[in-house]
């Protein structure tokens, strides 16, 4: 049974470029979460979806960040334009319903030069 | 004020030297406390969920316990492969309504042979 799939695993880009991170949830999971992890701040929730609908995006740091979930099997997190302070590991996590155990993907390590 | 505090930040043990990790939380009306293990370069891996004070769960050398204000992760006779960062998380509570999952900063455990 495949777990949460994220791509790319590593992304190096230059300041000002657009970055798109992708996530495929576990089949049957109806809630999807995007997190950012840094040494200083740990794991922070950016946004979550329930049944493909964005519910809480209060963690999205700025308008440069946007997320979509066009269907139950795919979500994207986009940063445009990217800045060096966006460098972090971005995780996608999914669960069957909102309060259930969340299962994490392997993460995307983003480096913005 | 942090709602989830983990201690110590780092812990070094000799193989076979048992110890405990602490997770204290300030949310009221706990609706689930989660323990995860995170290896370098990987996403958090689910270990346990605890829901009520007095509850205990075990998995191999790990045992998680819960009180009204904190949780302990006991590691009995650890082995080098237990080396990882252990994360604790709870759902925050907005005046009776459930908020998002809040993670502690983690305890980095190193077990030397």
């Amino acid at each position: 049974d495949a777990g949460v799939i994220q791509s790319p695993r590593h992304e190096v880009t230059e300041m000002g470029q657009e970055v798109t991170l992708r996530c495929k949830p576990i089949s049957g999971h109806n809630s999807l979460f995007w997190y950012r992890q840094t040494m200083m701040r740990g794991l922070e929730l950016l946004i979550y979806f329930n049944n493909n609908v964005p519910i809480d995006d209060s963690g999205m740091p700025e308008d440069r960040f946007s997320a979509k979930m066009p269907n139950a099997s795919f979500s994207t997190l986009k940063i445009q334009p990217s800045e060096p302070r966006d460098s972090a590991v971005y995780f996608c996590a999914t669960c069957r319903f909102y309060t259930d155990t969340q299962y994490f993907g392997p993460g995307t390590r983003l480096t913005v030069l | 004020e942090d709602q989830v505090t983990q201690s110590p930040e780092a812990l070094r043990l000799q193989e076979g030297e048992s110890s405990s990790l602490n997770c204290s939380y300030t949310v009221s009306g706990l609706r689930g406390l989660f323990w995860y293990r995170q290896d370098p370069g990987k996403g958090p891996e689910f270990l346990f969920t605890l829901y009520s004070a007095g509850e205990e769960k075990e998995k191999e050398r790990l045992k998680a316990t819960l009180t009204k204000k904190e949780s302990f992760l006991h590691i009995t006779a650890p082995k080098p492969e237990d080396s990882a960062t252990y994360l604790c998380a709870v759902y925050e509570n907005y005046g009776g309504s459930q908020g998002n999952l809040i993670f502690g900063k983690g305890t980095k455990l190193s077990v030397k042979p």
Side-chain angles (χ1 to χ4, degrees):
Chain A
D1 184 21
V4 177
I5 299 173
Q6 290 187 248
S7 64
R9 293 295 313 278
H10 302 273
E11 178 80 34
V12 180
T13 190
E14 293 187 348
M15 183 174 63
Q17 296 298 305
E18 177 180 297
V19 175
T20 300
L21 312 181
R22 297 172 176 80
C23 175
K24 177 178 171 56
I26 294 172
S27 178
H29 283 199
N30 298 313
S31 296
L32 182 143
F33 306 78
W34 282 101
Y35 289 90
R36 179 171 65 178
Q37 187 175 43
T38 62
M39 289 292 293
M40 289 297 294
R41 301 175 67 88
L43 264 171
E44 299 176 289
L45 178 67
L46 299 176
I47 184 172
Y48 83 88
F49 296 83
N50 203 36
N51 293 319
N52 311 338
V53 177
I55 303 300
D56 183 355
D57 65 354
S58 60
M60 297 285 261
E62 299 171 31
D63 291 345
R64 298 184 296 106
F65 286 70
S66 63
K68 294 182 180 179
M69 192 164 185
N71 56 62
S73 58
F74 184 65
S75 177
T76 60
L77 177 67
K78 185 176 293 186
I79 308 173
Q80 166 63 16
S82 57
E83 296 183 3
R85 58 191 168 126
D86 301 331
S87 297
V89 182
Y90 291 80
F91 288 104
C92 175
T94 72
C95 57
R96 292 175 298 171
F97 50 87
Y98 177 58
T99 57
D100 194 23
T101 300
Q102 295 182 24
Y103 292 90
F104 284 75
T108 295
R109 180 173 294 277
L110 173 65
T111 303
V112 183
L113 303 174
Chain B
E1 178 185 347
D2 288 346
Q3 297 187 58
V4 182
T5 303
Q6 292 188 246
S7 62
E9 290 186 10
L11 181 62
R12 291 189 174 190
L13 300 173
Q14 286 297 127
E15 184 171 2
E17 180 186 1
S18 301
S19 187
S20 296
L21 313 183
N22 177 265
C23 172
S24 62
Y25 57 91
T26 58
V27 296
S28 59
L30 183 71
R31 303 190 186 197
L33 184 143
F34 300 80
W35 281 100
Y36 286 84
R37 168 192 171 129
Q38 187 174 22
D39 293 295
K42 296 188 177 182
E45 175 187 349
F46 171 71
L47 292 173
F48 304 109
T49 307
L50 302 167
Y51 290 102
S52 56
E55 189 174 358
E56 299 182 350
K57 288 191 177 175
E58 291 188 62
K59 180 180 180 181
E60 296 180 352
R61 295 176 293 282
L62 300 178
K63 179 180 177 180
T65 63
L66 181 65
T67 71
K68 288 186 177 181
K69 291 296 182 185
E70 58 191 349
S71 176
F72 292 93
L73 185 64
H74 307 277
I75 303 177
T76 302
K79 298 181 177 181
E81 52 262 42
D82 295 322
S83 298
T85 296
Y86 291 85
L87 299 169
C88 167
V90 300
Y91 277 105
E92 61 184 344
N93 191 302
Y94 287 140
S97 297
Q98 188 165 302
N100 298 317
L101 194 61
I102 304 299
F103 281 84
K105 298 281 196 305
T107 293
K108 185 175 182 179
L109 173 67
S110 298
V111 182
K112 302 299 182 184

